């Protein structure tokens, strides 16, 4: 249940209702910035009917509350002039890691030529082995920000640890929370206090409900700009890097109002399959995609096996056009009048 209190509610009234909830053994969160109580276990609103300062109660039958589609119709928000989660498919592309100033500038120039609006690139990299390349750190943040500014791009980069929050915050437009940190609840709660858009990747073994509860950690702090991103889960067969869970895309769309993105690169881990799975994710209803590209995948310092070359990425972009047209969807990298032209062609 989400209980909205009147705007004029007094401190005394707030403390009365909180004491009542404690006496009744209800866990809750009180959001003081909008006078809202979130009480997941409360099923019957009549229990609070003697409080005359409640303006609205929304019954939410799922454990996750603020991310639920029962709470809100579909969310979209602006990221520096580009709408995320609207009718346009959003496309984020870039290298797994920022490796050098030249590398990220070369990629940014290429993306700008393709009319792509978002560049990705990790500066702080979560690597399985401590002996692998772990990113350029703050230098990487500086390089990707500069490359993006020069090429009309918005930045998506990963935050691994709270100690880097200010630096990442100041250099990115969307903060990526990686699969390994989906359950880092203190990190998520801190991000809830900011207004920065967060792309929350699905944990490697996270169920839908766990993923949405993780989103609620951010939303309950007051940050409403959350994107979910499917990136494959661990299963028994590891011939593909992960099991790219296409079915979770329509599932999330039916459970949550949050934009749902998909990352076929980590989903399958093989460049040769990324295009097919990217198209499949669009057909399954993703609001956006994140794809790893590299000018020389064989020399990449991380995830080279799954990176598309520039040519392969262009092939992918061309392949999206008839599909988008067939499902009547526009994209942030295609001028809207080109979409109309495609539609008359088909
Ligand atoms: C990445 O996007 O490079 C990454 C490390 O992703 P994930 O957290 O999904 O493994
Ligand atoms: Mn990667």
């Amino acid at each position: 249940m989400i209980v909205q209190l009147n705007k004029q509610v007094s401190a005394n009234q707030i403390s009365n209702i909180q004491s009542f909830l404690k006496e009744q053994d209800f866990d809750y969160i009180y959001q003081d910035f909008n006078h809202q109580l979130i009480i997941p276990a409360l099923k019957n609103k009549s229990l609070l009917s003697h409080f005359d300062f409640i303006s609205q109660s929304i019954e939410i039958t799922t454990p996750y509350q603020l991310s639920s589609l029962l709470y809100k119709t579909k969310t979209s928000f602006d990221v520096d002039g580009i709408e995320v989660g609207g009718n346009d498919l959003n496309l984020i592309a870039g290298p797994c890691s920022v490796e050098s100033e030249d590398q990220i500038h070369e990629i940014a120039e290429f993306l700008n030529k393709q009319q792509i609006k978002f560049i990705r690139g990790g500066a702080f990299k979560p690597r399985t082995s401590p002996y692998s390349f772990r990113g350029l750190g703050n230098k990487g943040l500086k390089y990707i920000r500069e490359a993006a500014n020069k090429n009309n791009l918005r930045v998506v980069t990963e935050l691994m640890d709270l100690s880097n929050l200010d630096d990442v915050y100041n250099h990115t437009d969307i903060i990526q929370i990686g699969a390994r940190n989906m359950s880092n609840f203190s990190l998520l709660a801190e991000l809830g206090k900011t207004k920065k858009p967060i792309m929350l990747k699905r944990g490697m073994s996270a169920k839908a409900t766990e993923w949405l509860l993780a989103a609620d950690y951010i939303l309950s702090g007051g940050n409403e700009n959350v994107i979910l991103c499917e990136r494959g889960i661990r299963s028994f067969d590891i011939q593909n890097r992960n099991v790219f869970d296409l079915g979770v895309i329509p599932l999330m769309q039916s459970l949550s109002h949050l934009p749902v993105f998909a990352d076929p690169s980590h989903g399958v881990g093989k460049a040769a399959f990324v295009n097919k799975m990217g198209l499949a994710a669009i057909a399954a209803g993703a609001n956006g995609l994140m794809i790893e590209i590299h000018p020389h995948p064989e020399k990449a310092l991380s995830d080279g096996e799954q990176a598309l070359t520039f040519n392969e990425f262009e092939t992918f972009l061309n392949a999206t056009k008839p599909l988008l047209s067939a499902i009547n969807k526009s994209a942030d990298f295609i001028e809207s009048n080109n979409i109309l032209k495609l539609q008359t062609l088909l």
Side-chain angles (χ1 to χ4, degrees), residues 96 120 125-126 158 176 178-180 201 231 266 290 292:
C96 180
R120 64 149 286 147
K125 293 300 306 174
E158 179 162 355
Q176 174 175 325
R180 293 157 190 80
K201 292 188 115 184
R231 47 78 71 207
H266 294 84
M290 183 157 92
E292 288 188 344

Side-chain angles (χ1 to χ4, degrees), residues 263-292:
D263 167 359
S265 306
H266 294 84
V268 284
K270 290 184 171 71
F273 304 162
V274 166
N275 283 359
K276 288 188 176 77
M277 298 316 289
L279 294 174
I282 297 173
N287 297 98
L289 294 183
M290 183 157 92
I291 292 187
E292 288 188 344

Side-chain angles (χ1 to χ4, degrees), residues 91-164:
L91 195 39
I92 304 167
C96 180
S97 306
V98 181
E99 298 171 357
S100 70
E101 195 167 11
D102 286 350
Q103 175 239 24
I104 200 71
H105 277 264
E106 184 181 352
I107 294 170
E109 276 163 34
F110 166 73
L111 291 176
N112 190 18
K113 279 202 198 106
Q114 306 300 323
Q115 312 240 53
I116 301 296
K117 303 294 186 290
F118 294 90
I119 188 169
R120 64 149 286 147
F124 297 97
K125 293 300 306 174
R127 300 305 302 278
T128 304
S129 162
Y131 310 111
S132 303
F133 175 64
R134 289 158 75 183
L136 296 180
N138 284 330
K139 245 190 332 184
L141 291 177
K142 179 171 169 283
Y143 294 159
I144 194 170
R145 182 74 261 167
E146 286 169 354
N149 289 351
K150 227 173 128 187
N151 291 285
N152 187 31
L153 293 160
R154 290 133 202 90
V155 172
V156 182
T157 198
E158 179 162 355
L159 172 71
M160 278 176 43
D161 189 279
L162 271 181
S163 62
N164 302 116

Side-chain angles (χ1 to χ4, degrees), residues 4 23 25 36 52 55 57 69 85 91 117 149 152 176 216 245 263 282 285 312-313 319 332 340 346:
Q4 180 65 55
E23 273 164 29
D25 265 347
Q36 191 165 260
D52 59 2
S55 64
S57 301
L69 192 57
L91 195 39
K117 303 294 186 290
N149 289 351
N152 187 31
Q176 174 175 325
D216 269 32
D245 187 1
D263 167 359
I282 297 173
E312 287 166 344
F313 185 65
D332 65 5
L340 291 178
L346 282 174

